[in-house]
Amino acid sequence: MGLRIFTEPQQGASYDQLLAVARTTEECGFEGFFRSDHFLKMGSGTGMPAYTDAWTTLAGLARDTRSIRLGTLVTPATFRTVGTFPAVVTEVDHMSQGRVEVGLGAGWYQDEHVAYGIPFPGIGARYDLLEDQLAILHGVWTAPPGSLFERDGLTCNVRIQADPFRPAQKPHPPIILGGGGKGLLRVAAKHGDVLNVISEILDKLATFVDAGAQRVYLQVLDLSDLDHLRLVADEVLPHLPAALGAG
């Protein structure tokens, strides 16, 4: 079972803070560093010192780390144009030498969309957009050499030359789907590689192992407290083989 660190930088984080957490994650032997993809704080947070863009962050970490997996939990399909998103992911995958994973969801935070003028259609239309995004990613990445990927989708039509979008990972970066409901399960069964479920720590690991889980994401909210990452590395990581044995 792989143990990964998950952060919520929309509550306020600079790139340097995120880099410090990611490097500590790497030094302590965790498998990966993942972050949310939001531009608006939630609850009582201030959003200071900054809001940051998830894929800009991953591009920087791709060059500033060496071994950990990197990704989002999760990028809303409403945030980025579905036709050009493969270019973003493919480039960051090459920048990281094949360490990127793509978390995708239908989007849920309406206030965030309103604040930034991003269209927020009904849930059915958002799942249609998500399905188009997944189909385009898979289609471009798996199209035969020299081919034109074409899709008349639910929300858009695309005609994309596939060869300029070949990722470093083969056949392509893993795609993680996050969210809930029957709509997500339908899309996940058709297009996803991983369905994300976030858990607490040690006392529940065996339960997830019994259910067939292969990795766990640990949510980190205080990005200035690196000691707790080291504590988890010391007190939780050594128990993972035992948890596997319990399964």
Side-chain angles (χ1 to χ4, degrees), residues 5 16-33 61 64-65 68 220 223-233 237:
I5 298 303
D16 286 342
Q17 285 179 303
L18 294 168
L19 175 59
V21 174
R23 283 180 167 167
T24 304
T25 297
E26 192 166 64
E27 292 165 5
C28 288
F30 293 101
E31 186 183 79
F33 173 90
L61 295 179
D64 289 340
T65 62
I68 51 172
V220 175
L223 300 182
S224 65
D225 183 4
L226 303 182
D227 287 338
H228 75 294
L229 294 185
R230 299 184 179 99
L231 177 64
V232 173
L237 284 177

Side-chain angles (χ1 to χ4, degrees), residues 58-151:
L58 295 184
L61 295 179
R63 309 303 279 185
D64 289 340
T65 62
R66 294 291 176 265
S67 62
I68 51 172
R69 304 293 294 176
L70 301 168
T72 55
L73 291 177
V74 290
T75 290
T78 52
F79 272 16
R80 293 165 177 85
T81 306
V82 296
T84 59
F85 189 52
V88 175
V89 178
T90 298
E91 181 175 10
V92 178
D93 193 48
H94 280 283
M95 291 172 71
S96 69
Q97 299 181 321
R99 293 185 284 126
V100 162
E101 303 191 11
V102 189
L104 284 172
W108 63 270
Y109 192 10
Q110 185 171 4
D111 288 349
E112 178 176 50
H113 290 73
V114 171
Y116 293 101
I118 302 170
F120 189 73
I123 185 62
R126 298 201 306 276
Y127 276 120
D128 287 346
L129 190 64
L130 176 61
E131 185 162 349
D132 278 343
Q133 182 68 90
L134 290 164
I136 291 168
L137 288 172
H138 275 287
V140 170
W141 286 338
T142 61
S147 66
L148 178 72
F149 171 72
E150 301 183 73
R151 175 176 169 84

Side-chain angles (χ1 to χ4, degrees), residues 131-209:
E131 185 162 349
D132 278 343
Q133 182 68 90
L134 290 164
I136 291 168
L137 288 172
H138 275 287
V140 170
W141 286 338
T142 61
S147 66
L148 178 72
F149 171 72
E150 301 183 73
R151 175 176 169 84
D152 293 331
L154 300 169
T155 67
C156 64
N157 302 327
V158 299
R159 307 288 183 271
I160 301 174
Q161 291 290 340
D163 285 348
F165 296 99
R166 304 297 183 187
Q169 296 179 79
K170 304 303 178 189
H172 57 75
I175 295 176
I176 305 166
L177 294 182
K182 294 180 180 179
L184 182 73
L185 294 176
R186 174 182 60 81
V187 174
K190 188 173 183 180
H191 295 291
D193 299 311
V194 181
L195 186 63
N196 176 54
V197 178
I198 299 174
S199 64
E200 295 177 11
I201 308 183
L202 190 59
D203 59 343
K204 293 189 177 179
L205 288 179
T207 301
F208 285 105
V209 170

